Amino acid sequence: MTTTRSDTDARGALRGLADDRSSVRLRAALAAGTTPDPRFVDTLVERCAIEPEFFVRDMLTWALTRHPVSMTLPRLLREVRSGGPQARSQALHTLSKIGDGRAWPALTRTVLSDADDEVARSAWRTAVVLVPDDERSALAAVLVTQLGRGGRETQLSLSRALVALGEAGVPALLSATTAPDPHVRAHALATQRLLRDPETGFEYAIEEAKRVVALGGRGQEG
């Protein structure tokens, strides 16, 4: 059997993705995206699930976006449904970069409230990219159920997602400002502030909101 140059290059790229050196893996992912090949898709997705280096993961995502959606979409959706935390998070991130609306049904309430903060954050970012116009209010209603969750980065990610929904998120946020949980109320108030004034820093908005809640405010003033 004759071995073609493309076969040799493909085998080299696939081997490189498993190399112990991150620089080699980065170059292999770049090569896989520069010259897309159907043989790369499964390995790229599988590598996303275990790759420890952020920059390599980002290159893996880029490489996947260079391949036909008909090939990448089904494989990524399987990861969202059944992969481990990193696999789910990276698959969601990649879906946001691909931007194909056919992935929207995968953004279920369960995915949007995943117990792993990184997965949930990826899901929120992806959801606001893929959501159809007539589903924006419904998405906001799900997202506000996560208010008050986690630390600063998680709360900032959620606020950004709600702000990205614009006016569609206003009713759900308003309702959350009267929630029994003071952490939820404060997060809702801070997000309202960011929606009204995007130039406001999150740290300032959340600290101001905490003071309002501590003094008995329930957000009716906004």
Side-chain angles (χ1 to χ4, degrees):
M1 181 186 300
T2 302
T3 300
T4 66
R5 174 66 180 274
S6 65
D7 289 333
T8 302
D9 291 346
R11 285 199 295 269
L14 292 172
R15 282 196 305 270
L17 290 171
D19 196 276
D20 289 338
R21 294 162 293 180
S22 61
S23 60
V24 175
R25 298 196 303 276
L26 185 67
R27 288 197 299 271
L30 175 61
T34 302
T35 310
D37 187 310
R39 290 169 290 185
F40 295 151
V41 172
D42 282 346
T43 302
L44 288 169
V45 173
E46 290 164 4
R47 188 67 209 177
C48 282
I50 59 174
E51 172 55 51
E53 299 293 335
F54 170 79
F55 292 111
V56 180
R57 291 199 303 273
D58 221 34
M59 189 66 76
L60 291 167
T61 282
W62 173 78
L64 283 164
T65 68
R66 298 272 295 158
H67 287 76
V69 177
S70 61
M71 298 182 62
T72 57
L73 188 60
R75 188 68 176 81
L76 291 166
L77 292 176
R78 285 200 296 273
E79 291 291 281
V80 171
R81 290 191 295 268
S82 59
Q86 181 172 309
R88 298 199 304 278
S89 177
Q90 198 65 25
L92 287 161
H93 174 66
T94 305
L95 289 170
S96 76
K97 297 301 182 182
I98 292 172
D100 192 296
R102 287 173 293 180
W104 165 247
L107 276 298
T108 62
R109 179 181 287 266
T110 298
V111 172
L112 293 167
S113 57
D114 195 283
D116 186 279
D117 284 347
E118 286 300 318
V119 176
R121 290 170 60 191
S122 292
W124 302 335
R125 290 191 295 265
T126 305
V128 298
V129 170
L130 299 179
V131 61
D133 287 343
D134 61 354
E135 296 276 1
R136 294 172 73 86
S137 295
L139 173 60
V142 175
L143 292 183
V144 297
T145 67
Q146 303 301 299
L147 287 167
R149 167 181 174 166
R152 178 192 179 280
E153 290 303 317
T154 298
Q155 293 192 7
L156 176 57
S157 290
L158 183 58
S159 289
R160 284 174 171 167
L162 285 161
V163 168
L165 291 175
E167 291 300 312
V170 169
L173 270 175
L174 181 60
S175 177
T177 61
T178 61
D181 188 327
H183 299 292
V184 172
R185 293 204 305 277
H187 195 182
L189 286 167
T191 306
Q192 274 190 332
R193 176 64 183 267
L194 293 173
L195 185 58
R196 290 195 304 266
D197 181 8
E199 298 301 316
T200 301
F202 181 73
E203 293 291 349
Y204 176 82
I206 194 71
E207 290 305 318
E208 181 184 67
K210 288 177 181 177
R211 286 195 295 271
V212 170
V213 170
L215 293 170
R218 299 176 67 87
Q220 301 304 313
E221 70 274 18

